[in-house]
Amino acid sequence: MPREWAAQARAALGREPTALVTVLATEGSAPRGPGARMVVTGDNQQGSIGGGALEYQAVEQARAILDHPPGAWRIQDYPLGPLLGQCCGGRVRLLIEHLDPDASQWIASERPIAARLLADRVERTDTDIPNTEPLFARGERPGVGATFAEPADIPRMPVLMFGAGHVGRAIAQRADGLPLQFARYDTRSDAAEMPGVVHADEEAMVACAAEAGRDAAVLILTHDHALDYRLTAAALRSAAPFVGLIGSRTKRARFLARLRDEGIDASRLTCPIGMPGIAGKEPDVIAIATLAQLLTLRTTA
């Protein structure tokens, strides 16, 4: 899945002059962390660096830089206090730049980027620049000649989702903009026609569940209870810290009995899925409750 800001920037660059606002560094309390980005054009903006007066000022600065040649940049430091009418109390350092369509290949890179500030542009490379120093939100601002590592994009937790039925589609449709990276699988033949879904046989799906990493969550919601069980057993043997299974408490009890008989530790199994206290069997309700539950995993990891 392409990074959202990158897709927005490439689309905007194909139509009109485009600015990019990047949170380079923060100290103390700040609305968004390093790596948050916002794409700004003359009459539109996409993404957010946290809203409020800070974002208003950043958008104004971004539109002002569009009056300068492509490649133009500036670094701005903002204390989040009375001057901006915000009470966060922290500091934010922003890079605001007029993107150059002829030097925008770096936007598509998934590798770490090193940046060098030149007089007329920000030179970027996906190979390390030696002697890069960490950035801080206070102290002297970087100027021409400074080099630094671009802040990484906001990390997204991998989610392996098995099943692309009504609930699976509802989860995928509502996950846009969330810091979650979905890989979706289904065995049914029509899955090959579903955008973003990998058509795989049962053996391949079970093997994938068994290889889930310690940074991943697993969601199991296929149309077949027997396949659900195989996937659950495989995922519980993996390193995945969270294994979520759609189903009733009766289904949970039956699965737990079988898992116990097979000597499989089911302490990581969550069934039914979704945040406790959110009632409803509608796909949209289950989707929102499940996404909320996944987001709690990021904050407690």
Side-chain angles (χ1 to χ4, degrees), residues 26-32 49-55 78-92 138:
T26 66
E27 288 186 12
S29 179
R32 295 290 301 274
I49 60 166
L54 171 66
E55 187 163 295
Y78 291 98
L80 303 179
L83 184 64
L84 284 181
Q86 294 191 220
C87 57
C88 299
R91 298 178 69 90
V92 176
R138 63 179 69 235

Side-chain angles (χ1 to χ4, degrees), residues 230-295:
R230 293 188 66 198
L231 290 166
T232 300
L236 289 172
R237 291 188 175 104
S238 77
F242 177 87
V243 179
L245 170 68
I246 196 169
S248 63
R249 298 190 183 281
T250 300
K251 180 178 179 179
R252 170 187 169 86
R254 290 175 178 171
F255 275 37
L256 288 177
R258 290 185 63 185
L259 292 165
R260 184 170 55 250
D261 290 344
E262 293 186 28
I264 299 173
D265 179 7
S267 60
R268 288 172 292 138
L269 180 63
T270 295
C271 178
I273 54 173
M275 287 288 286
I278 301 179
K281 297 182 179 180
E282 301 86 350
D284 289 345
V285 173
I286 297 173
I288 292 169
T290 301
L291 289 168
Q293 188 172 50
L294 291 173
L295 292 176

Side-chain angles (χ1 to χ4, degrees), residues 153-223:
D153 286 342
I154 307 303
R156 293 187 291 174
M157 183 179 71
V159 181
L160 305 181
M161 186 162 70
F162 300 99
H166 295 303
V167 174
R169 289 197 297 273
I171 290 172
Q173 288 166 0
R174 281 148 188 81
D176 284 349
L178 298 181
L180 304 170
Q181 177 71 59
F182 279 85
R184 302 165 59 204
Y185 305 89
D186 201 289
T187 59
R188 291 171 289 186
S189 57
D190 60 348
E193 308 301 321
M194 299 179 189
V197 178
V198 176
H199 179 220
D201 61 28
E202 289 192 12
E203 297 307 319
M205 286 173 56
V206 171
C208 182
E211 295 172 359
R214 64 179 63 256
D215 62 340
V218 177
L219 286 181
I220 299 165
L221 29 85
T222 80
H223 62 292

